[in-house]
Amino acid sequence: MSIVEALTADLLARVYRHLSCETDRKAWRLVCKEFHRVDSVSRPSIRVLRVEFLDSLLRKYTRIESLDLSVCPRIDDGTVSILLSGAADLFTPAVWRVIPPRFDSVKWTGRLRRLVLSHSTGLRHSGLEQLVRACPMLESIDVSYSQGFGDREAAAVSLAVGLRELKMDKCLGLTDVGLAKIAVGCPRLEKLSLKWCLEIGDLGVDLLCKKCFSLKFLDLSYLKVTNDSLRSIAPLISLEVLSILGCSLVDDVGLQFLGDGCPSLRVIDVSRCDAVSSSGIISIIRGHDCLEQLKASFSLVEVTPSLVDSLKDLKALTSFRIDGARASDCSLQSFSKNFKNLSEIGLSKCTGVTDIGIIQLVSGSSNLRLLDLTCCHSITDAAVFSVSNSCRNLTCLKLESCSIITEKGLYYLGSFCLLLEELDLTDCSCINNTGLKYLSRCSKLRSLKLGLCMCISDQGLCHIASNCKNIYELDLYKCCSIGDEGLEALSSSCKRLKILNISYCTRITDKGLEYISKLEELSDLDMRGLVQVTCLGITALAAGCKRLANLDMKHCQSVNDSGFWALAHHSRNLRQVNLSYSNISDLGLCMMMGNLTRLQDAKLLHLSNVTVQGFELALRACCMRIKKVKLVTSLRYRLSREIIETLHSRGCKIRWD
Amino acid sequence: MEDLKMDDEEALCAETWLRPSSGNSIRQPNQPSFTNFTLSNDQPEWEDPSLLDYGVRIGTSFSKYSFAPDQDGQSLQSNNSNSKRGEVNQQINEVLKIGKAQDWDPRAMLNNLSFLEQKIHQLQDLVHLIVSRKDQILQQSDELAMQQQQLITADLTSIIVQLISTAGSLLPSVKHNLTGPTAMAIGKHRHISEILCNSGLGLDATNISESHGMGPNVANQVEPTGDTAPSHHPLDEPELKEEDDADEGENLPPGSYEILQLEKEEILAPHTHFCTICGKGFKRDANLRMHMRGHGDEYKTPEALAKPNKGNSSEAMLLKRYSCPFAGCKRNKDHKKFQPLKTILCVKNHYKRTHCDKSYICSRCNTKKFSVIADLKTHEKHCGKDKWLCSCGTTFSRKDKLFGHIALFQGHTPAIPLEESRGVEGLLEQGETTGGEKNRIDQSINFSFNTESHNGSRVQNIMDMKGSIDDPSSYLSPINYDSFNEFSRAAFDDPDGGFSFLIPGSCNYGQKNGGQSCYSDL
């Protein structure tokens, strides 16, 4: 206690700054009042989960520069108005003379640099405009996946004159006009993401490039832009990252423009551009010998010798993805000759990849960190051996559907690749417990996917659990032999587990779930088809895993209402839930939907015990905050028009199945 | 310059039948830069009182001219001939200057000219021979005279063609100014034009001049510089600049086209095809062609009755331009800065739009009025729909225009319309865009078909420059060569050689200069 008192607030703040993890910061806050005070005055960012605390939080954290409201339901124009009610005075000096402005209440707006409003459904342009006007220092705005946003919202965003970073992915209403507003209003823009803004065309992009010269990052993925846009982009001197993923109207002619322009280009993604061929990619390569990342997944038919030849010039290339192309052994061989620095290679779904090709590829690329060999069906343990032997620094290896790989391969991995953090062995059906034992030597493993590996059992899982303490993601989808004992081992040692998939591991019972409930950090649990699990297991889970945000209980038919009540009572952080084919009743559903104030996405198919009135009530209970709901089509005409209209007017998307 | 000597001789002997050939021979070397010649080179001579006198006389005594040339004609002739030696020299100098401007070898031009000179020498000898013979035999039979004349005309023609082809190959694009004078010179004799008419070449020439109540003789009367005396063109430098700036489509040189003026009643009549002789209107061109049979046998030929083949004939045809009958209108031929209208449809639309009440009112907005129903229909397509609006209040019918505007002006942004129903409209506008482009292409085709606009305006400038001719630098400008453009094109496009295109020019010239002054004088 004396030590703590000896530390000044300044020193505490310095220590505090080194805390990166949210749980650590929470622990800090709980130490004492002084620590809590340090937290509140020095905390730079805040991510609000429930709107009811927003106002008090903003008053407390006066120094925040980043406000994230993306996981907070029920943000609308009215909320914003109330939040800013004090701020309005600040900008009308005439009022000052009558009522002195309450600076304490509005302090946060003056410092705010970053605003995250993605996935917002209730907010409209007037609220956004108020927010943007109130925050003069704004540099970054994220309104991605706000599907109702359009030109008016863009006009509101464009009032942030100092804006440097803007994400508007999937703002479906955004057109060239809105983009023009932004281009004119925010001339200092450096990062702009317009993925899935389907209405944007060449004219808008052209104007953007004429007005925002300092653009460094531009994402135009899936837009209907043509070569004309690339012609407009070419003069951007500072552009470093360009993504034109899935722009099917762009072809080699457009890439030629890029090849001749954009002198600072470092990263380019031309994946899924169907009209692009290797000659277009060569023309980019010719113009930019400093290219660091080149992604051309599912664009190329074949890796031609001329392409590989031209790649020689790219001395700085670190990442290269040609997923889906035909890659012959000899083309892979010439890769390894040319790239000593290459750290990332994507060859997923490439045809013609053999052991020989992989052996030749990795022989020269000792710095490889990421290797994606998803669906390279014909590679064997021999390839895995050479990969492990040559690339000792490998951190991520994806071997999904490389079904010939056996425990031998894992032995090599466990022997040489001790830095491995991520391994995907989905559908490698020859993997057995022995293999997992070898693999468990990779103690840094964080993500392990073992879905559909039928041969592994609790024994193997125990090996992993005992050695890989850092694991945070584990996929055991349809590993039918896994039972409660495996989960016991897991829960006792892998305390950092956040994402767990135990769907269709039908041997798991309530006991297993009790073990799982000891995983305090668990946020995503996929437990489909656990027919042996009853309300007891669920109650334990709900009581233990307070952080649970995503829960999939499809086909958990043995769970009755008391289980759901427990969920409704304890799992206040639940955001997504799948209750399809469960035995929930009207009452249970109403409790769930009404009580879970953070719930945003619910899948409610084939609930045999729920009546139409039950649905009606449940939807009414959550209609102010739910963003997505999935219902059977037959309900479409049985539910009252009123509730459907209310949901729609709140921006909720109903998927009829 | 032997031909000039001949001119002197000709002036002395005053033989009627010689005049055309002499006239031609004089002008031949001048042709490439005829405008210069008439306009600038010898301005002092043109200011000679007798010349001015001549200008006045055009109107009154033209009909007698070819049959009994009186003293004025003679004196004019002599006046001209005195100065011609100098002219030709200067003419060549001009050509050389032009050559420099055009970036070709002046020596080559000189070679060509000396070659032509040789040819002219030969012809000169021939004429000498005839002249000496004529001195002996005064009572010459008409038949013989005719033969001689034809002989010389043929020679002259070949020289002209030669000259044109040299000039044409060097100067790639001009037409009308030259056709005027040369053809006019040839048309000086009724015999010749009749011969040409019979051969089908000079058809238009006679017809058109007849349609305006003048025989082919009108052409005879009007010397190329008939209205080029400074008194006729009081334009000075500033106005000339104005003409330059005016981008009102084409700017043909006066005299390179025929001016037709329809009466108000004709314009407002619901017809689109008009007889160029009597002005009667028809709804269908076929009916007009049937009607034309009444104007003479030449219209009864199967060729005349067949659908006009635009590709071949119109190129050689005289350009027709239209004047608005509304006095004081800029489109009226009496206006100082007359800007002719291109087609009858232009006349109709211009007259309705400018000089008629706007009787069609848009039924949607009830504010916009139109006098041309097509304008109303165009407006109704857009009326009431979202326009592309800029924050500065400017509206655009097309999105790309708005974006171009925004790109150009700092701080301007697109204004967002109240209701968001842009999708359909966007499509519509795209359609219109393509339509517009099509129109533009059509226009450009028409355009190149007719003439080049700057060509016309430049020639106009030359004409205007007479006012400021005292400034020696003014006529050294390289603009002159532009005037050959269309001439050379005609020469190469027409398989018949030099003559067919000369004829329309002659009438044309007569129309413009003589005809107009006739009207005003009478």
Side-chain angles (χ1 to χ4, degrees):
Chain A
M1 195 65 191
S2 57
I3 301 168
V4 171
E5 277 168 0
L7 292 170
T8 62
D10 180 46
L11 286 171
L12 281 176
R14 281 195 175 198
V15 176
Y16 176 80
R17 254 175 251 147
H18 289 283
L19 301 176
S20 54
C21 180
E22 180 53 36
T23 48
D24 295 343
R25 279 202 288 260
K26 188 178 181 184
W28 172 281
R29 277 201 295 277
L30 295 173
V31 172
C32 65
K33 269 193 176 173
E34 182 59 21
F35 275 51
H36 190 264
R37 206 187 61 79
V38 167
D39 173 63
S40 60
V41 292
S42 49
R43 188 182 168 108
S45 67
I46 187 169
R47 186 165 182 255
V48 183
L49 301 182
R50 287 188 235 170
V51 73
E52 50 267 38
F53 303 129
L54 184 56
D55 194 38
S56 59
L57 283 174
L58 288 175
R59 280 167 197 276
K60 196 164 80 179
Y61 294 102
T62 51
R63 288 182 160 268
I64 56 155
E65 292 179 350
S66 166
L67 175 63
D68 187 347
L69 300 173
S70 58
V71 287
C72 185
R74 223 198 300 178
I75 286 285
D76 57 19
D77 294 355
T79 320
V80 170
S81 290
I82 294 163
L83 275 177
L84 297 172
S85 56
D89 305 339
L90 200 67
F91 294 92
T92 49
V95 186
W96 284 6
R97 290 172 211 135
V98 190
I99 317 156
R102 295 182 300 151
F103 279 109
D104 60 323
S105 71
V106 296
K107 244 177 183 173
W108 64 273
T109 56
R111 291 178 174 274
L112 205 66
R113 291 175 187 276
R114 184 160 179 269
L115 189 58
V116 182
L117 291 165
S118 60
H119 298 275
S120 80
T121 50
L123 200 65
R124 279 291 165 268
H125 63 96
S126 61
L128 193 60
E129 190 178 326
Q130 287 179 54
L131 261 178
V132 172
R133 276 189 195 281
C135 306
M137 302 288 283
L138 265 185
E139 283 178 0
S140 165
I141 295 179
D142 182 354
V143 289
S144 48
Y145 301 99
S146 304
Q147 300 192 7
F149 277 20
D151 292 344
R152 290 163 186 290
E153 286 75 18
V157 165
S158 74
L159 298 171
V161 184
L163 206 65
R164 291 173 188 276
E165 203 179 325
L166 177 61
K167 279 185 93 170
M168 294 199 80
D169 300 355
K170 215 165 186 182
C171 290
L172 294 177
L174 186 68
T175 71
D176 287 342
V177 172
L179 184 57
K181 282 265 180 204
I182 290 164
V184 175
C186 314
R188 282 179 237 166
L189 216 55
E190 285 173 7
K191 267 182 107 172
L192 180 62
S193 182
L194 296 169
K195 209 172 177 172
W196 287 113
C197 295
L198 299 174
E199 300 289 321
I200 301 277
D202 290 334
L203 279 175
V205 175
D206 183 54
L207 189 72
L208 176 77
C209 298
K210 281 180 184 159
K211 297 283 184 185
C212 303
F213 306 108
S214 43
L215 271 178
K216 285 182 182 166
F217 175 102
L218 186 59
D219 190 343
L220 300 177
S221 300
Y222 300 102
L223 300 195
K224 286 180 213 147
V225 293
T226 67
N227 294 337
D228 292 344
S229 282
L230 297 190
R231 196 208 308 259
S232 314
I233 288 167
L236 291 175
I237 312 165
S238 30
L239 193 73
E240 291 172 2
V241 183
L242 178 65
S243 181
I244 49 169
L245 189 92
C247 294
S248 51
L249 299 177
V250 167
D251 60 23
D252 293 345
V253 180
L255 296 189
Q256 181 71 52
F257 292 132
L258 286 183
D260 299 338
C262 296
S264 313
L265 202 66
R266 285 190 294 107
V267 179
I268 184 153
D269 189 347
V270 291
S271 301
R272 297 182 197 273
C273 295
D274 303 330
V276 164
S277 76
S278 56
S279 70
I281 295 187
I282 289 170
S283 65
I284 292 183
I285 291 168
R286 289 220 179 102
H288 304 94
D289 46 4
C290 294
L291 216 59
E292 287 170 18
Q293 291 186 37
L294 178 59
K295 292 175 188 171
S297 308
F298 306 104
S299 295
L300 300 179
V301 178
E302 189 167 6
V303 185
T304 57
S306 56
L307 175 64
V308 176
D309 236 30
S310 66
L311 282 167
K312 275 179 198 159
D313 306 330
L314 300 179
K315 300 295 178 205
L317 196 74
T318 57
S319 171
F320 185 64
R321 296 197 76 106
I322 44 162
D323 305 334
R326 201 187 146 70
S328 60
D329 294 343
C330 55
S331 62
L332 291 178
Q333 183 188 13
S334 41
F335 263 116
S336 64
K337 281 183 192 159
N338 297 320
F339 304 111
K340 305 290 177 199
N341 300 329
L342 211 58
S343 68
E344 193 179 327
I345 297 181
L347 295 171
S348 79
K349 304 206 178 182
C350 282
T351 48
V353 177
T354 63
D355 280 351
I356 299 161
I358 296 296
I359 289 165
Q360 285 170 340
L361 175 73
V362 297
S363 62
S365 331
S366 53
N367 288 316
L368 215 58
R369 301 281 159 92
L370 185 149
L371 183 60
D372 188 349
L373 297 173
T374 303
C375 295
C376 295
H377 301 286
S378 47
I379 63 164
T380 67
D381 292 333
V384 178
F385 169 72
S386 69
V387 168
S388 350
N389 196 24
S390 315
C391 315
R392 307 275 173 119
N393 294 326
L394 204 68
T395 56
C396 177
L397 181 62
K398 300 194 175 183
L399 295 169
E400 184 186 337
S401 289
C402 299
S403 42
I404 324 174
I405 290 171
T406 65
E407 74 262 23
K408 266 190 196 168
L410 298 190
Y411 173 74
Y412 302 130
L413 279 177
S415 311
F416 303 118
C417 295
L418 299 179
L419 298 175
L420 204 64
E421 289 179 11
E422 219 180 313
L423 181 63
D424 189 347
L425 292 170
T426 307
D427 209 6
C428 296
S429 41
C430 298
I431 301 295
N432 56 21
N433 290 335
T434 327
L436 291 185
K437 187 183 173 185
Y438 296 136
L439 184 67
S440 67
R441 294 181 59 191
C442 302
S443 58
K444 302 215 167 187
L445 215 55
R446 298 181 71 232
S447 167
L448 180 60
K449 294 188 178 171
L450 297 167
L452 296 164
C453 296
M454 308 287 192
C455 304
I456 61 165
S457 65
D458 292 337
Q459 204 190 339
L461 197 56
C462 288
H463 290 303
I464 294 291
S466 57
N467 284 322
C468 309
K469 310 267 187 194
N470 285 326
I471 219 152
Y472 86 98
E473 182 182 5
L474 184 60
D475 186 350
L476 299 169
Y477 177 82
K478 280 197 181 169
C479 296
C480 315
S481 314
I482 298 286
D484 298 337
E485 292 141 53
L487 294 182
E488 183 186 5
L490 200 66
S491 61
S492 58
S493 57
C494 302
K495 289 293 186 187
R496 290 186 178 263
L497 200 66
K498 280 180 89 173
I499 304 163
L500 179 62
N501 191 336
I502 46 169
S503 297
Y504 305 108
C505 300
T506 42
R507 286 183 55 211
I508 293 174
T509 64
D510 288 341
K511 193 118 184 161
L513 280 198
E514 270 173 46
Y515 294 129
I516 287 174
S517 69
K518 288 173 189 160
L519 297 169
E520 287 184 5
E521 306 229 341
L522 196 70
S523 71
D524 292 50
L525 179 61
D526 204 333
M527 46 175 285
R528 288 186 184 188
L530 299 191
V531 284
Q532 297 195 52
V533 172
T534 67
C535 60
L536 292 174
I538 293 296
T539 311
L541 180 77
C545 304
K546 296 285 192 189
R547 289 176 177 266
L548 205 61
N550 298 344
L551 179 62
D552 192 337
M553 314 177 46
K554 193 174 171 183
H555 289 296
C556 289
Q557 289 147 352
S558 313
V559 181
N560 62 19
D561 259 12
S562 56
F564 294 108
W565 284 14
L567 280 176
H569 187 70
H570 295 291
S571 301
R572 291 300 182 87
N573 285 320
L574 216 53
R575 259 188 294 160
Q576 287 185 44
V577 72
N578 186 351
L579 304 175
S580 305
Y581 297 98
S582 67
N583 275 325
I584 197 168
S585 70
D586 285 357
L587 197 62
L589 190 62
C590 285
M591 286 285 280
M592 285 277 283
M593 303 300 272
N595 243 20
L596 298 175
T597 50
R598 282 192 62 206
L599 198 65
Q600 296 178 20
D601 184 349
K603 296 188 177 74
L604 308 170
L605 302 179
H606 305 288
L607 305 179
S608 49
N609 289 342
V610 180
T611 62
V612 178
Q613 282 78 22
F615 276 112
E616 186 94 23
L617 274 171
L619 290 174
R620 222 170 267 274
C622 68
C623 69
M624 285 307 283
R625 56 180 178 272
I626 196 110
K627 287 178 180 173
K628 250 175 164 177
V629 65
K630 196 171 177 182
L631 300 167
V632 280
T633 318
S634 60
L635 275 176
R636 188 172 197 162
Y637 306 103
R638 289 156 71 201
L639 286 170
S640 71
R641 287 185 66 85
E642 190 197 342
I643 181 65
I644 291 173
E645 275 166 21
T646 314
L647 284 170
H648 278 305
S649 69
R650 278 292 308 176
C652 174
K653 265 181 79 175
I654 306 177
R655 272 182 66 194
W656 302 102
D657 194 71
Chain B
M1 299 298 147
E2 299 284 321
D3 51 344
L4 299 176
K5 279 184 220 158
M6 181 197 73
D7 266 336
D8 294 337
E9 286 170 65
E10 178 212 34
L12 288 170
C13 66
E15 277 288 334
T16 317
W17 70 273
L18 270 179
R19 194 162 296 131
S21 67
S22 67
N24 281 340
S25 62
I26 291 160
R27 270 172 216 106
Q28 275 160 24
N30 303 345
Q31 277 170 17
S33 54
F34 172 73
T35 12
N36 298 333
F37 160 61
T38 54
L39 301 183
S40 53
N41 293 348
D42 293 281
Q43 202 57 41
E45 263 91 5
W46 292 115
E47 278 163 5
D48 188 291
S50 70
L51 173 70
L52 293 172
D53 187 20
Y54 159 78
V56 175
R57 279 177 170 277
I58 293 166
T60 52
S61 62
F62 71 90
S63 57
K64 298 175 212 156
Y65 185 73
S66 67
F67 302 112
D70 55 9
Q71 201 49 50
D72 289 304
Q74 296 259 335
S75 65
L76 171 74
Q77 205 67 44
S78 52
N79 271 330
N80 284 349
S81 56
N82 285 338
S83 61
K84 264 161 196 163
R85 207 183 294 265
E87 283 164 27
V88 173
N89 283 331
Q90 251 180 319
Q91 214 42 57
I92 290 162
N93 288 342
E94 275 308 311
V95 167
L96 294 179
K97 276 164 202 152
I98 292 158
K100 273 170 200 155
Q102 263 271 7
D103 248 9
W104 42 251
D105 187 7
R107 274 179 221 166
M109 187 61 175
L110 203 61
N111 286 342
N112 282 322
L113 285 175
S114 48
F115 170 72
L116 282 164
E117 204 179 349
Q118 248 178 354
K119 279 219 140 193
I120 292 166
H121 273 296
Q122 289 169 9
L123 185 66
Q124 202 180 13
D125 292 339
L126 183 67
V127 177
H128 268 299
L129 190 71
I130 294 166
V131 167
S132 58
R133 281 225 317 246
K134 214 176 280 169
D135 286 339
Q136 291 158 8
I137 311 151
L138 285 168
Q139 296 296 325
Q140 215 174 8
S141 71
D142 282 352
E143 220 179 353
L144 184 61
M146 182 94 118
Q147 278 173 0
Q148 289 172 338
Q149 208 176 316
Q150 280 179 14
L151 196 63
I152 291 169
T153 311
D155 272 352
L156 284 173
T157 310
S158 77
I159 289 170
I160 292 167
V161 169
Q162 285 276 353
L163 184 63
I164 290 162
S165 60
T166 24
S169 64
L170 295 164
L171 311 163
S173 55
V174 188
K175 199 152 49 179
H176 285 280
N177 334 30
L178 290 180
T179 49
T182 26
M184 190 213 67
I186 290 151
K188 254 187 175 178
H189 261 259
R190 188 175 187 115
H191 307 295
I192 298 168
S193 48
E194 266 168 10
I195 291 161
L196 296 169
C197 285
N198 292 340
S199 66
L201 291 166
L203 210 63
D204 292 306
T206 36
N207 290 338
I208 290 159
S209 34
E210 269 166 11
S211 76
H212 281 253
M214 296 172 286
N217 292 334
V218 177
N220 302 353
Q221 300 307 313
V222 188
E223 281 294 331
T225 50
D227 68 342
T228 54
S231 59
H232 286 243
H233 278 264
L235 297 178
D236 45 24
E237 284 292 347
E239 271 173 317
L240 183 148
K241 267 177 195 162
E242 259 176 52
E243 288 291 320
D244 256 351
D245 292 339
D247 50 356
E248 287 238 52
E250 58 166 15
N251 219 337
L252 293 173
S256 64
Y257 52 88
E258 173 193 18
I259 301 166
L260 298 172
Q261 179 170 301
L262 306 176
E263 286 315 307
K264 182 188 163 194
E265 289 71 25
E266 291 171 318
I267 289 168
L268 297 176
H271 302 132
T272 48
H273 302 277
F274 292 90
C275 174
T276 49
I277 296 168
C278 67
K280 192 175 191 311
F282 297 89
K283 277 191 175 171
R284 295 172 222 285
D285 185 50
N287 293 352
L288 171 63
R289 274 179 270 134
M290 295 306 276
H291 159 86
M292 290 304 280
R293 294 189 303 174
H295 283 298
D297 285 346
E298 61 267 34
Y299 296 107
K300 289 176 183 170
T301 59
E303 293 79 36
L305 285 170
K307 255 190 176 174
N309 189 350
K310 282 174 187 172
N312 296 330
S313 59
S314 48
E315 185 93 353
M317 286 263 288
L318 169 65
L319 273 177
K320 290 195 183 93
R321 288 295 177 267
Y322 297 86
S323 160
C324 169
F326 194 92
C329 174
K330 198 179 184 182
R331 302 298 200 174
N332 184 270
K333 65 189 174 192
D334 294 332
H335 193 274
K336 205 166 67 176
K337 296 187 219 164
F338 171 54
Q339 299 251 331
L341 291 152
K342 259 189 190 175
T343 63
I344 293 180
L345 194 66
C346 289
V347 177
K348 290 180 120 186
N349 284 340
H350 160 79
Y351 192 83
K352 285 181 190 168
R353 282 177 186 142
T354 323
H355 310 299
C356 291
D357 289 336
K358 295 182 173 179
S359 46
Y360 302 108
I361 300 168
C362 174
S363 55
R364 292 199 202 179
C365 62
N366 268 326
T367 49
K368 279 269 181 187
K369 292 178 182 177
F370 302 91
S371 48
V372 177
I373 196 149
D375 293 353
L376 172 71
K377 280 177 181 163
T378 314
H379 163 79
E380 276 181 335
K381 272 186 210 162
H382 303 280
C383 183
K385 282 184 190 153
D386 277 346
K387 285 209 164 185
W388 297 99
L389 179 68
C390 178
S391 56
C392 68
T394 320
T395 56
F396 298 86
S397 59
R398 278 165 50 183
K399 186 181 176 184
D400 54 336
K401 300 291 169 198
L402 168 66
F403 275 68
H405 168 86
I406 288 164
L408 203 62
F409 293 99
Q410 208 67 39
H412 288 210
T413 64
I416 296 169
L418 286 171
E419 71 274 25
E420 287 169 342
S421 59
R422 179 143 292 166
V424 186
E425 230 223 319
L427 288 175
L428 257 174
E429 263 154 31
Q430 274 189 343
E432 281 158 23
T433 308
T434 51
E437 273 161 13
K438 226 179 270 173
N439 276 341
R440 226 175 297 138
I441 290 161
D442 287 347
Q443 276 183 1
S444 71
I445 289 167
N446 280 337
F447 204 57
S448 59
F449 187 70
N450 287 331
T451 176
E452 269 140 38
S453 60
H454 63 88
N455 164 25
S457 71
R458 285 186 175 171
V459 174
Q460 188 110 42
N461 293 344
I462 303 166
M463 298 297 271
D464 294 338
M465 236 180 257
K466 277 168 283 147
S468 62
I469 210 69
D470 300 275
D471 179 8
S473 66
S474 61
Y475 60 86
L476 299 179
S477 59
I479 37 181
N480 303 336
Y481 60 81
D482 268 42
S483 49
F484 307 125
N485 262 343
E486 303 198 340
F487 191 50
S488 64
R489 187 180 301 159
F492 292 116
D493 289 350
D494 198 321
D496 287 331
F499 254 111
S500 57
F501 63 82
L502 296 178
I503 301 308
S506 78
C507 301
N508 182 10
Y509 199 84
Q511 283 298 331
K512 166 65 188 163
N513 294 339
Q516 237 177 296
S517 58
C518 277
Y519 281 150
S520 53
D521 283 346
L522 284 173

